[in-house]
Short mmCIF file of all heavy atoms in Angstrom, two decimals:
data_model
loop_
_atom_site.label_atom_id
_atom_site.label_comp_id
_atom_site.label_asym_id
_atom_site.label_seq_id
_atom_site.Cartn_x
_atom_site.Cartn_y
_atom_site.Cartn_z
N VAL A 17 145.45 110.30 32.82
CA VAL A 17 145.79 108.96 33.30
C VAL A 17 147.31 108.89 33.36
O VAL A 17 147.98 109.18 32.36
CB VAL A 17 145.27 107.86 32.36
CG1 VAL A 17 145.66 106.48 32.88
CG2 VAL A 17 143.77 107.95 32.21
N ASN A 28 156.76 97.96 40.70
CA ASN A 28 155.55 97.57 39.96
C ASN A 28 155.01 98.85 39.32
O ASN A 28 155.44 99.96 39.65
CB ASN A 28 154.52 96.99 40.94
CG ASN A 28 153.25 96.52 40.25
OD1 ASN A 28 153.30 95.82 39.24
ND2 ASN A 28 152.10 96.91 40.77
N VAL A 29 154.06 98.67 38.39
CA VAL A 29 153.47 99.85 37.74
C VAL A 29 151.96 99.66 37.65
O VAL A 29 151.47 98.55 37.44
CB VAL A 29 154.14 100.08 36.35
CG1 VAL A 29 153.98 98.89 35.42
CG2 VAL A 29 153.60 101.34 35.68
N MET A 30 151.22 100.74 37.88
CA MET A 30 149.74 100.72 37.75
C MET A 30 149.28 102.03 37.11
O MET A 30 150.02 103.00 37.05
CB MET A 30 149.06 100.54 39.12
CG MET A 30 149.12 101.77 40.00
SD MET A 30 148.09 101.66 41.50
CE MET A 30 146.44 101.93 40.85
N ASN A 31 148.02 102.02 36.66
CA ASN A 31 147.36 103.24 36.15
C ASN A 31 146.74 104.01 37.29
O ASN A 31 146.22 103.40 38.23
CB ASN A 31 146.16 102.87 35.27
CG ASN A 31 146.52 102.54 33.87
OD1 ASN A 31 147.69 102.41 33.56
ND2 ASN A 31 145.52 102.40 33.03
N CYS A 32 146.65 105.32 37.13
CA CYS A 32 145.94 106.11 38.13
C CYS A 32 145.34 107.35 37.48
O CYS A 32 146.04 108.07 36.76
CB CYS A 32 146.94 106.51 39.22
SG CYS A 32 146.29 107.62 40.45
N ASN A 33 144.05 107.53 37.67
CA ASN A 33 143.45 108.80 37.24
C ASN A 33 142.93 109.61 38.43
O ASN A 33 142.49 110.74 38.25
CB ASN A 33 142.35 108.59 36.18
CG ASN A 33 141.15 107.86 36.72
OD1 ASN A 33 141.17 107.36 37.83
ND2 ASN A 33 140.10 107.79 35.94
N ARG A 34 143.00 109.02 39.62
CA ARG A 34 142.64 109.81 40.81
C ARG A 34 143.91 110.45 41.32
O ARG A 34 144.55 109.99 42.26
CB ARG A 34 141.98 108.90 41.87
CG ARG A 34 140.66 108.37 41.37
CD ARG A 34 139.83 107.70 42.44
NE ARG A 34 138.73 107.02 41.80
CZ ARG A 34 137.58 107.59 41.46
NH1 ARG A 34 137.37 108.86 41.71
NH2 ARG A 34 136.64 106.89 40.87
N SER A 48 145.04 108.59 44.77
CA SER A 48 144.13 107.77 45.58
C SER A 48 144.07 106.37 45.00
O SER A 48 143.76 106.19 43.81
CB SER A 48 142.73 108.39 45.60
OG SER A 48 142.76 109.54 46.41
N ILE A 49 144.36 105.40 45.86
CA ILE A 49 144.54 104.01 45.42
C ILE A 49 143.67 103.10 46.28
O ILE A 49 143.64 103.23 47.51
CB ILE A 49 146.03 103.59 45.58
CG1 ILE A 49 146.98 104.63 44.92
CG2 ILE A 49 146.28 102.19 45.04
CD1 ILE A 49 146.84 104.78 43.43
N ARG A 50 142.99 102.15 45.62
CA ARG A 50 142.17 101.18 46.37
C ARG A 50 143.08 100.25 47.19
O ARG A 50 144.09 99.78 46.66
CB ARG A 50 141.33 100.32 45.41
CG ARG A 50 140.17 101.06 44.81
CD ARG A 50 139.28 100.11 44.03
NE ARG A 50 138.23 100.84 43.35
CZ ARG A 50 137.03 101.13 43.89
NH1 ARG A 50 136.73 100.70 45.10
NH2 ARG A 50 136.14 101.81 43.21
N ARG A 53 144.70 96.98 45.62
CA ARG A 53 145.74 96.97 44.57
C ARG A 53 147.07 96.50 45.14
O ARG A 53 147.45 96.89 46.26
CB ARG A 53 145.97 98.37 43.99
CG ARG A 53 144.73 99.12 43.58
CD ARG A 53 144.08 98.55 42.37
NE ARG A 53 143.00 99.42 41.91
CZ ARG A 53 141.83 98.99 41.50
NH1 ARG A 53 141.55 97.70 41.48
NH2 ARG A 53 140.92 99.85 41.08
N TYR A 54 147.80 95.76 44.33
CA TYR A 54 149.16 95.35 44.73
C TYR A 54 149.99 96.60 45.02
O TYR A 54 150.75 96.65 46.01
CB TYR A 54 149.76 94.50 43.61
CG TYR A 54 151.17 94.05 43.83
CD1 TYR A 54 151.56 93.44 45.02
CD2 TYR A 54 152.13 94.21 42.83
CE1 TYR A 54 152.86 93.02 45.21
CE2 TYR A 54 153.43 93.79 43.01
CZ TYR A 54 153.79 93.21 44.21
OH TYR A 54 155.08 92.79 44.39
N SER A 55 149.85 97.62 44.19
CA SER A 55 150.64 98.85 44.38
C SER A 55 150.35 99.51 45.73
O SER A 55 151.21 100.24 46.25
CB SER A 55 150.32 99.86 43.27
OG SER A 55 150.66 99.33 42.02
N ILE A 81 148.42 97.99 31.59
CA ILE A 81 148.91 98.27 32.94
C ILE A 81 147.74 98.53 33.90
O ILE A 81 147.84 98.27 35.10
CB ILE A 81 149.91 99.45 32.89
CG1 ILE A 81 151.20 98.99 32.18
CG2 ILE A 81 150.23 99.99 34.28
CD1 ILE A 81 152.16 100.09 31.86
N GLY A 82 146.62 98.99 33.34
CA GLY A 82 145.46 99.32 34.17
C GLY A 82 144.49 98.18 34.41
O GLY A 82 143.50 98.36 35.12
N VAL A 83 144.73 97.02 33.81
CA VAL A 83 143.81 95.89 34.06
C VAL A 83 144.49 94.64 34.61
O VAL A 83 143.82 93.75 35.11
CB VAL A 83 142.97 95.50 32.81
CG1 VAL A 83 142.05 96.63 32.40
CG2 VAL A 83 143.84 95.05 31.68
N VAL A 84 145.80 94.58 34.52
CA VAL A 84 146.52 93.39 34.98
C VAL A 84 147.21 93.74 36.30
O VAL A 84 147.72 94.85 36.46
CB VAL A 84 147.56 92.95 33.91
CG1 VAL A 84 148.48 91.87 34.45
CG2 VAL A 84 146.84 92.47 32.66
N THR A 85 147.19 92.82 37.25
CA THR A 85 147.86 93.11 38.52
C THR A 85 149.28 92.54 38.57
O THR A 85 149.53 91.44 38.09
CB THR A 85 147.04 92.60 39.74
OG1 THR A 85 147.82 92.86 40.92
CG2 THR A 85 146.72 91.13 39.66
N GLY A 86 150.13 93.32 39.19
CA GLY A 86 151.52 92.91 39.38
C GLY A 86 151.67 91.74 40.34
O GLY A 86 152.74 91.15 40.45
N LYS A 91 154.49 93.07 34.97
CA LYS A 91 154.07 93.92 33.84
C LYS A 91 155.26 94.62 33.19
O LYS A 91 155.29 94.79 31.97
CB LYS A 91 153.05 94.97 34.33
CG LYS A 91 151.73 94.39 34.77
CD LYS A 91 150.75 95.48 35.18
CE LYS A 91 150.68 95.66 36.67
NZ LYS A 91 149.59 96.57 37.10
N HIS A 130 139.21 104.26 48.97
CA HIS A 130 140.57 104.53 48.53
C HIS A 130 141.44 105.03 49.70
O HIS A 130 140.90 105.50 50.71
CB HIS A 130 140.60 105.61 47.44
CG HIS A 130 140.09 105.13 46.11
ND1 HIS A 130 138.77 104.82 45.89
CD2 HIS A 130 140.73 104.89 44.93
CE1 HIS A 130 138.62 104.42 44.63
NE2 HIS A 130 139.79 104.45 44.03
N TYR A 163 141.41 110.70 30.60
CA TYR A 163 140.52 109.58 30.89
C TYR A 163 139.13 109.87 30.36
O TYR A 163 138.46 110.79 30.83
CB TYR A 163 140.47 109.33 32.40
CG TYR A 163 139.62 108.15 32.76
CD1 TYR A 163 139.82 106.92 32.14
CD2 TYR A 163 138.63 108.26 33.71
CE1 TYR A 163 139.06 105.83 32.47
CE2 TYR A 163 137.85 107.16 34.05
CZ TYR A 163 138.07 105.96 33.42
OH TYR A 163 137.32 104.87 33.73
N VAL A 168 141.56 104.94 27.10
CA VAL A 168 142.01 103.80 27.88
C VAL A 168 140.79 103.27 28.63
O VAL A 168 139.91 104.03 29.00
CB VAL A 168 143.13 104.15 28.88
CG1 VAL A 168 144.43 104.38 28.18
CG2 VAL A 168 142.75 105.33 29.73
N ARG A 169 140.73 101.98 28.82
CA ARG A 169 139.51 101.36 29.35
C ARG A 169 139.82 100.46 30.53
O ARG A 169 140.87 99.82 30.55
CB ARG A 169 138.86 100.51 28.25
CG ARG A 169 138.30 101.34 27.14
CD ARG A 169 138.20 100.53 25.88
NE ARG A 169 139.46 100.60 25.16
CZ ARG A 169 139.55 100.76 23.86
NH1 ARG A 169 138.48 100.82 23.12
NH2 ARG A 169 140.72 100.85 23.28
N GLU A 170 138.89 100.38 31.45
CA GLU A 170 139.07 99.42 32.55
C GLU A 170 138.73 98.01 32.06
O GLU A 170 139.12 97.05 32.68
CB GLU A 170 138.22 99.81 33.75
CG GLU A 170 138.61 101.19 34.25
CD GLU A 170 138.73 101.31 35.76
OE1 GLU A 170 138.87 100.29 36.45
OE2 GLU A 170 138.68 102.45 36.22
C1 FMN B 1 142.14 104.45 33.12
C2 FMN B 1 142.36 103.78 34.45
C3 FMN B 1 142.54 104.55 35.60
C4 FMN B 1 142.70 103.94 36.85
N1 FMN B 1 142.85 104.71 37.97
C5 FMN B 1 142.96 104.13 39.18
C6 FMN B 1 143.09 104.93 40.36
O1 FMN B 1 143.11 106.16 40.32
N2 FMN B 1 143.19 104.28 41.57
C7 FMN B 1 143.17 102.92 41.68
O2 FMN B 1 143.26 102.37 42.79
N3 FMN B 1 143.07 102.13 40.56
C8 FMN B 1 142.99 102.72 39.33
N4 FMN B 1 142.90 101.94 38.20
C9 FMN B 1 142.96 100.48 38.32
C10 FMN B 1 144.39 99.93 38.47
O3 FMN B 1 145.31 100.60 37.64
C11 FMN B 1 144.37 98.43 38.14
O4 FMN B 1 143.52 97.75 39.04
C12 FMN B 1 145.76 97.80 38.15
O5 FMN B 1 145.66 96.52 37.57
C13 FMN B 1 146.36 97.72 39.55
O6 FMN B 1 147.63 97.14 39.41
P1 FMN B 1 148.42 96.47 40.62
O7 FMN B 1 147.50 95.45 41.27
O8 FMN B 1 149.60 95.83 39.93
O9 FMN B 1 148.80 97.57 41.55
C14 FMN B 1 142.73 102.53 36.94
C15 FMN B 1 142.57 101.75 35.79
C16 FMN B 1 142.39 102.37 34.55
C17 FMN B 1 142.23 101.52 33.32
#
Side-chain angles (χ1 to χ4, degrees):
V17 179
N28 182 47
V29 59
M30 73 171 284
N31 277 10
C32 174
N33 66 351
R34 295 191 191 276
S48 287
I49 309 296
R50 286 188 185 271
R53 311 289 188 222
Y54 177 50
S55 299
I81 291 170
V83 296
V84 171
T85 176
K91 292 183 261 189
H130 287 69
Y163 182 52
V168 287
R169 291 157 273 223
E170 300 224 20

